[in-house]
Amino acid sequence: MSATAPQNEPATTHPAIHQLMEEFGVTQECREFLAAEPQQYINGRFTNGQASGRIDSIEPSTGHLLTTIASGAVEDVDDAVAAARAALDSGPWAAMKPNERQGLLLRLADLIEEHAQSIGEIETLDNGKALGPCIEMDVLGGADLLRYMAGFTTKIHGETRQVSTPGDHVAWTVRQPIGVVGAIVPWNWPFNMALWKISAPLAAGCTIVVKPAQQTSLSMLYFARLCEEAGLPPGVFNVVTGRGSTIGNALASHPDVSKVSFTGSTPVGRQVGAAAGEALSPVTLELGGKSPMVVFDDADPAAVAAAMRWSVFFNAGQVCSAGTRLYAQRGIYEQVLEEAVKLANSMKLAPGLDPECDMGPVISGGARDGIRDYIKRGIAEGARIVCGAHQIEGDGYFVPPTVLAVENNDATVMQEEIFGPVLVAMPFDTEEEAIALANDNIYGLAASVWTRDISRAMRCVNAIEAGTVWVNAHDLVDSAIPFGGFKQSGFGKDLGPEQLDHFLKTKAVWIQL
Ligand code: NDP
């Protein structure tokens, strides 16, 4: 292991991380990006702004320092919002024709694709996730969404309406960009969730200030370079880094922000909603979840387990829509558990850069300890360990794929979002009972139903209170299909044409003839 930083890498990066990069190899571009102290991106400039210090960015598989980011100040939010407002009101972005804006977004999507490897490596080092799926889903999925939304730029239109008001009039509606968008994103899909927040507003002609999660800001700072290269005018896209309680709060409550788009936990979502409400800004809240997988006797247990790889243990279980509540009908229950255990025991835990990695570490020591506490609490409340649950020694934040079985739906592990690779299972007898169990939770983000009986599947689809219901699948996502929760999983939709509506305002125009 080298004791000193190789040339072109930041002196702060821990030797254990240099060793990782040497062992698995990363692009020169990734090395160079990490070597430069990452700055905020405000009004087309990389700048330290009014930052009062730096925040550590920790590589989760080693638990050591990767680099630092600027701890931005409220004044940086003010500057970024002012720049975004100015770009909205005048200059090249305001004057741009829809097809020119479309060309720009398509160019940006091409650049994401060209630099997918480097973006993936930066994300993997910052977040811990497995590199292959990160490139495939997070990065290229982001490019796909940008292209999908770019298609709308030339199809935004109002309508003429027949009016019955006495006299001679013509009246019509005009759709205009809503204004400056404040986007606040979580750490579990730093690049992809940010693209979920950015693509529709750019297509609508809005300007944006993004606040990435403090643990994972690097991929957005890299993306800012691509925005420059694509030719996005200054002020259209800004990144302010720092603490949620200051930067995030300042953005959500800013009087010149016209729309707040937030993805994160339910408790923080409540604060963001309150701050936006105070400023009378409309807000979209994509919040937590505890999604049920409801498996009937006629389902294929192997298919259910195959889906669990992506729906329970993927991204180390740090997935808002993860199907971590398993309700299986009594006749198939033991078989499904057996398959789940086979899957869990087959998964290789490794640093995300390792091509053999099935599951990387969780984001932080705090997250790892929180998951362990949930497991302990589950056991104290009577849960049976079916597999996993052991502690993994070392500096990295690894948690084994874990399956717990409970008899009681009130168990804390069955009710609360653990946000780690922990599946909690419980048997049921009847369809009515399964629906009641699925709905017996504060969240309503997503659910899946597993059966070959189409009538039963449709009854469950209609009765389950969730923003998405899959049948014989879990966690399918597509740019064209709206995603967003019911109940305490939030409101408003990301993706699909529904999302675009959030970023357009409708103006009515009348002419008296
Ligand atoms: P948090 O709610 O802790 O943070 C989300 C973002 O909000 C971060 O950028 C954070 O900044 C910022 N923030 C924190 N405090 C405030 C505040 N007072 N005002 C404004 N912004 C603030 O969520 P996590 O990052 O922990 O993400 C995990 C959560 O996200 C889970 O509950 C998960 O279910 C949910 N999620 C939901 C999705 C959905 O589509 N429904 C998709 C993905 C995740 P900082 O990092 O600096 O604290």
Side-chain angles (χ1 to χ4, degrees):
M1 184 188 300
S2 149
T4 54
Q7 218 184 359
N8 282 342
E9 281 167 27
T12 46
T13 299
H14 190 276
I17 303 171
H18 291 305
Q19 194 187 19
L20 264 187
M21 296 200 276
E22 287 313 313
E23 185 176 352
F24 298 111
V26 294
T27 61
Q28 191 55 28
E29 197 178 30
C30 169
R31 287 175 193 276
E32 282 169 8
F33 173 77
L34 293 172
E37 205 172 53
Q39 303 286 313
Q40 308 187 80
Y41 185 66
I42 299 171
N43 201 15
R45 284 180 52 234
F46 287 95
T47 169
N48 200 39
Q50 308 294 314
S52 53
R54 310 280 302 171
I55 296 174
D56 289 351
S57 173
I58 302 296
E59 195 286 314
S61 77
T62 59
H64 293 305
L65 186 68
L66 174 63
T67 184
T68 62
I69 55 157
S71 180
V74 170
E75 291 77 9
D76 296 322
V77 174
D78 291 338
D79 289 347
V81 172
R85 185 73 237 181
L88 188 81
D89 290 340
S90 59
W93 183 252
M96 207 172 273
K97 298 291 179 206
N99 62 351
E100 293 170 332
R101 196 162 75 239
Q102 182 179 54
L104 224 156
L105 297 193
L106 293 174
R107 170 85 187 115
L108 190 51
D110 288 347
L111 285 171
I112 292 175
E113 226 165 63
E114 277 169 36
H115 297 268
Q117 182 73 24
S118 300
I119 300 170
E121 288 166 359
I122 291 165
E123 192 84 317
T124 289
L125 285 165
D126 207 16
N127 168 283
K129 58 176 62 197
L131 178 60
C134 174
I135 292 175
E136 193 62 33
M137 297 181 203
D138 301 33
V139 181
L140 298 180
D144 181 76
L145 177 59
L146 205 46
R147 289 201 178 101
Y148 173 83
M149 288 297 174
F152 285 112
T153 54
T154 50
K155 291 149 201 88
I156 295 169
H157 53 77
E159 289 177 357
T160 31
R161 302 273 169 91
Q162 302 283 343
V163 293
S164 306
T165 309
D168 264 355
H169 310 98
V170 281
W172 69 94
T173 58
V174 180
R175 306 274 274 157
Q176 295 179 322
I178 196 165
V180 175
V181 174
I184 302 173
V185 289
W187 48 257
N188 60 338
W189 303 92
F191 185 81
N192 191 261
M193 277 301 117
L195 265 287
W196 279 34
K197 301 282 155 205
I198 290 164
S199 304
L202 285 181
C206 298
T207 56
I208 302 170
V209 179
V210 179
K211 188 273 183 243
Q214 60 183 288
Q215 282 143 318
T216 54
S217 296
L218 299 180
S219 56
M220 262 307 95
L221 296 172
Y222 179 86
F223 177 71
R225 295 179 171 198
L226 303 186
C227 289
E228 268 202 345
E229 195 178 334
L232 230 59
V236 173
F237 174 76
N238 305 271
V239 188
V240 180
T241 56
R243 302 190 191 284
S245 48
T246 43
I247 301 302
N249 183 51
L251 193 56
S253 57
H254 203 290
D256 291 331
V257 167
S258 303
K259 164 80 189 178
V260 177
S261 183
F262 173 83
T263 297
S265 64
T266 297
V268 174
R270 248 188 219 106
Q271 293 175 33
V272 168
E278 191 60 34
L280 290 180
S281 300
V283 60
T284 299
L285 299 174
E286 295 285 357
L287 307 178
K290 184 78 176 177
S291 300
M293 294 176 84
V294 178
V295 183
F296 288 93
D297 277 348
D298 62 346
D300 173 3
V304 176
M308 284 174 183
R309 172 181 288 276
W310 304 106
S311 66
V312 179
F313 301 129
F314 183 47
N315 213 30
Q318 304 163 118
V319 179
C320 53
S321 51
T324 50
R325 280 194 292 149
L326 170 68
Y327 301 111
Q329 207 162 11
R330 212 165 291 273
I332 202 175
Y333 182 66
E334 288 301 333
Q335 270 173 285
V336 176
L337 282 191
E338 223 171 86
E339 293 289 341
V341 170
K342 249 195 264 170
L343 168 71
N345 290 339
S346 74
M347 295 192 79
K348 180 173 173 182
L349 272 64
L353 287 183
D354 183 339
E356 290 183 10
C357 167
D358 289 314
M359 204 175 94
V362 298
I363 187 71
S364 65
R368 178 199 54 200
D369 296 346
I371 297 163
R372 285 177 177 169
D373 286 348
Y374 265 120
I375 293 171
K376 275 191 215 147
R377 186 154 172 196
I379 294 162
E381 289 180 8
R384 173 170 66 91
I385 300 171
V386 185
C387 71
H390 51 279
Q391 297 209 358
I392 296 175
E393 298 308 325
D395 292 334
Y397 310 132
F398 289 96
V399 178
T402 294
V403 180
L404 302 177
V406 299
E407 296 295 327
N408 178 359
N409 204 45
D410 292 338
T412 307
V413 287
M414 200 45 131
Q415 287 295 325
E416 297 188 9
E417 184 181 41
I418 297 175
F419 225 53
V422 182
L423 175 70
V424 187
M426 184 179 154
F428 69 86
D429 292 300
T430 66
E431 184 182 315
E432 293 69 29
E433 188 190 354
I435 291 168
L437 288 168
N439 285 338
D440 176 24
N441 196 272
I442 60 167
Y443 296 112
L445 187 57
S448 61
V449 178
W450 297 77
T451 178
R452 294 189 181 109
D453 178 341
I454 185 71
S455 301
R456 180 156 64 190
M458 284 311 299
R459 285 193 298 273
C460 291
V461 163
N462 289 336
I464 291 176
E465 296 164 15
T468 300
V469 184
W470 296 280
V471 177
N472 296 329
H474 196 107
D475 257 338
L476 300 177
V477 174
D478 189 280
S479 300
I481 304 294
F483 185 88
F486 297 167
K487 303 201 283 188
Q488 292 192 27
S489 293
F491 47 79
K493 297 289 179 194
D494 282 350
L495 312 183
E498 287 80 357
Q499 189 186 11
L500 198 74
D501 279 346
H502 296 314
F503 301 100
L504 291 166
K505 58 189 177 195
T506 302
K507 183 179 282 178
V509 186
W510 291 70
I511 298 183
Q512 172 124 0
L513 301 180

